[in-house]
């Protein structure tokens, strides 16, 4: 709730006008200032400063709820507060699908199926409720120009042939998906700042960012090492607030990178890998997610797309509702299809590792 606008907090009029006049527009702007500094910014005494903090804190902090109230809220939402992926095994493991009001990360090497997965989710969110969809609009932030309307319609025609035979339905579904292609992090930031109005005006039910890592890699080329994390922290905070305030699923794809000996957040089992495995790693590379450990801790669900043992897998590496499990899959004209709905238990180092067998997956 850090990015909750002060203008929406229903503060006492004199406080609302004072904060607006001083350029304190969000809860974070007010609550991140020390008391003495806030007094200076407001040009007011201690009672006024403390009153501002108290009112903003009360408005921005979510109220306490009982476990029963949370359960009732979940089932009062369509689909139990989930966007079903139609991949039965994965949906069961996720408790019904992608959770609403949360940040879900899809991470894996290039060409393994992340965008295919996102296209299917965009279609599902746009489908009418009687077809199992959310009957809403989708905002798709396409940072790598990978979004394909033709491919999305193909997935719809193959997955729901009886529905897409209806005249004009394909055009209607495509018209519900709003695609934006920011060319820089500044464009992306501007898009996010306008996002809340878009969500309210267009009945948006899903936000997809494909991919966040692509924007950050461009920014990092210009930035010094000490500055790199600041724009990421802002974007992360804003995306989480959009999910929480709008109660919609937010899907963000992430890329992978080779593990460096300079990484400061190795696990003990990762540090022990030495040159003796170099030859094998050419064919079975162990990778890590880009964007770093702060990002990894902030996402609620992490789905890892990886390749090993001759198959591609969707691995639920992080989830508050399920142990780590993996599902083998293939990519067909209808999108991603699980080869088995029975999840394979994943334990130990395999939970956090990302594997890419051979070079063929990366080149596709």
């Amino acid at each position: 709730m850090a990015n909750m606008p002060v203008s929406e907090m229903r503060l006492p009029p004199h406080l609302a006008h004072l904060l607006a006049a001083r350029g304190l527009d969000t809860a974070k702007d007010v609550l991140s200032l020390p008391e003495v500094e806030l007094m200076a910014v407001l040009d007011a005494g201690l009672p006024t400063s403390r009153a501002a903090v108290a009112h903003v804190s009360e408005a921005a902090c979510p109220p306490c709820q009982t476990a029963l109230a949370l359960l009732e809220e979940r089932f009062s939402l369509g689909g139990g507060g989930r966007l079903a992926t139609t991949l039965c095994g994965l949906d069961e493991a996720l408790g019904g699908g992608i959770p609403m009001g949360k940040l879900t990360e899809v991470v894996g090497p290039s060409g393994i199926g992340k965008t295919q997965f996102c296209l299917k989710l965009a279609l599902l969110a746009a489908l009418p409720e009687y077809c199992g969809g959310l009957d809403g609009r989708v905002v798709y932030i396409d940072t790598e120009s990978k979004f394909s309307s033709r491919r999305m319609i193909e997935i719809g025609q193959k997955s729901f042939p009886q529905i897409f035979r209806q005249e004009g339905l394909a055009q209607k579904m495509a018209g519900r998906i709003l695609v934006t292609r920011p060319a820089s992090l500044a464009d992306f930031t501007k898009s996010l700042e306008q996002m809340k109005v878009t969500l309210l005006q267009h009945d948006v039910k899903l936000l997809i960012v494909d991919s966040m890592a692509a924007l950050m890699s461009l920014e990092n080329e210009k930035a010094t090492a000490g500055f790199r994390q600041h724009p990421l922290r802002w974007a992360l905070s804003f995306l989480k607030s959009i999910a929480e305030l709008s109660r919609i699923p937010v899907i963000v794809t992430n890329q992978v990178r080779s593990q460096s000996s300079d990484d400061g957040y190795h696990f003990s089992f990762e540090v022990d890998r030495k040159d003796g495995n170099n030859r094998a790693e050419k064919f079975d590379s162990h990778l890590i997610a880009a964007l770093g450990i702060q990002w990894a801790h902030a996402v609620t669900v992490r789905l890892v797309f990886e390749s090993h043992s001759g198959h591609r897998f969707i691995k639920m590496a992080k989830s508050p509702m399920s142990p780590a499990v993996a599902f083998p899959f293939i990519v067909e004209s209808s999108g991603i299809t699980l080869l088995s709905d029975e999840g394979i238990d994943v334990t130990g180092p395999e939970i956090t590792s990302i594997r890419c067998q051979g070079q063929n997956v990366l080149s596709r």
Side-chain angles (χ1 to χ4, degrees):
M1 299 296 182
N3 291 300
M4 185 177 185
V6 170
S7 59
E8 297 183 4
M9 293 183 183
R10 298 182 181 178
L11 301 179
H14 71 283
L15 273 181
H17 293 318
L18 180 59
L19 294 176
R22 299 298 188 268
L24 301 176
D25 301 321
T26 68
K28 185 177 181 180
D29 293 339
V30 178
L31 301 179
S32 62
L33 293 176
E35 195 171 71
V36 175
E37 189 174 341
L38 181 59
M39 290 170 58
V41 171
L42 295 178
D43 192 21
L46 183 60
T48 300
S49 175
R50 288 182 172 174
V53 170
H55 280 91
V56 170
S57 297
E58 182 179 3
C61 295
C64 295
Q65 291 179 281
T66 65
L68 177 61
L70 289 172
L71 185 64
E72 291 173 344
E73 178 184 5
R74 172 182 170 183
F75 285 103
S76 68
L77 298 171
R82 300 288 193 273
L83 168 60
T85 69
T86 69
L87 304 174
C88 296
L90 181 62
D91 283 339
E92 184 177 353
L94 285 168
I98 305 295
M100 296 184 184
K102 307 295 181 184
L103 190 59
T104 297
E105 177 193 37
V106 179
V107 59
S110 177
I112 200 166
K114 302 187 301 294
T115 297
Q116 303 284 331
F117 185 69
C118 289
L119 290 175
K120 182 68 170 285
L121 291 178
L123 178 65
L124 289 168
L127 281 175
E129 289 183 357
Y130 68 84
C131 301
L134 298 182
D135 199 20
R137 292 181 180 266
V138 176
V139 172
Y140 198 114
I141 302 179
D142 179 24
T143 67
E144 297 183 271
S145 298
K146 290 184 177 180
F147 179 88
S148 170
S149 298
R150 183 185 299 273
R151 174 61 178 139
M152 188 189 65
I153 295 302
E154 179 187 24
I155 291 174
Q157 290 172 336
K158 298 294 184 180
S159 300
F160 311 101
Q162 68 282 9
I163 298 173
F164 273 74
R165 288 195 191 102
Q166 300 177 30
E167 184 177 355
L169 185 58
Q171 290 81 358
K172 182 179 179 181
M173 294 300 99
R176 287 182 170 182
I177 299 173
L178 313 174
V179 181
T180 177
R181 288 181 169 138
S184 65
L185 187 61
D187 289 346
F188 177 73
T189 301
K190 185 177 180 180
S191 297
L192 288 183
E193 289 172 343
Q194 299 171 342
M195 192 64 65
K196 189 173 183 182
V197 175
T198 302
L199 294 174
L200 294 174
Q201 290 181 346
H202 297 283
D203 192 29
V204 172
K205 297 295 180 67
L206 174 65
L207 169 63
I208 296 174
V209 182
D210 184 19
S211 74
M212 190 69 205
L215 281 177
M216 293 309 302
S217 63
L218 291 175
E219 186 69 18
N220 287 349
E221 292 176 2
K222 310 172 189 176
T224 61
F227 178 73
R228 288 178 183 178
Q229 288 299 318
H230 175 69
L232 177 61
R233 285 199 301 267
W234 186 92
L236 176 58
S237 174
F238 209 98
L239 288 171
K240 287 176 69 69
S241 70
I242 286 176
E244 292 168 1
L245 291 172
S246 303
R247 299 298 301 168
I248 65 171
V250 175
I251 312 291
V252 181
T253 67
N254 190 6
Q255 298 171 355
V256 296
R257 62 181 177 86
S258 299
Q259 189 159 308
S260 167
S261 59
D262 296 329
D263 288 334
Y265 47 89
H266 281 298
F267 296 97
S268 59
F269 60 86
E270 295 172 331
V271 176
D272 292 334
R273 291 177 186 144
K274 301 298 182 181
D275 292 341
N277 291 329
N278 281 350
R279 288 188 64 189
E281 287 176 355
K282 292 180 181 178
F283 301 96
D284 194 359
S285 301
H286 291 263
L287 308 168
I288 60 175
L291 300 182
I293 198 69
Q294 182 183 38
W295 177 272
H297 284 312
V299 299
T300 302
V301 175
R302 167 174 276 184
L303 299 177
V304 172
F305 281 53
E306 62 180 357
S307 172
H308 62 87
S309 307
H311 292 290
R312 299 183 187 191
F313 292 86
I314 301 177
K315 178 172 65 182
M316 190 151 58
K318 179 183 179 183
S319 170
M321 69 281 293
S322 173
V325 291
F327 300 90
F329 75 91
I330 57 175
V331 180
E332 299 181 310
S333 58
S334 60
I336 287 177
T337 301
L338 297 185
L339 296 177
S340 172
D341 289 325
E342 295 295 326
I344 302 169
D345 291 337
V346 182
T347 59
E350 292 301 321
I351 296 176
T352 54
S353 68
I354 302 175
R355 299 171 65 182
C356 179
Q357 186 178 57
Q359 301 303 316
N360 58 329
V361 174
L362 289 172
S363 63
R364 289 178 185 175

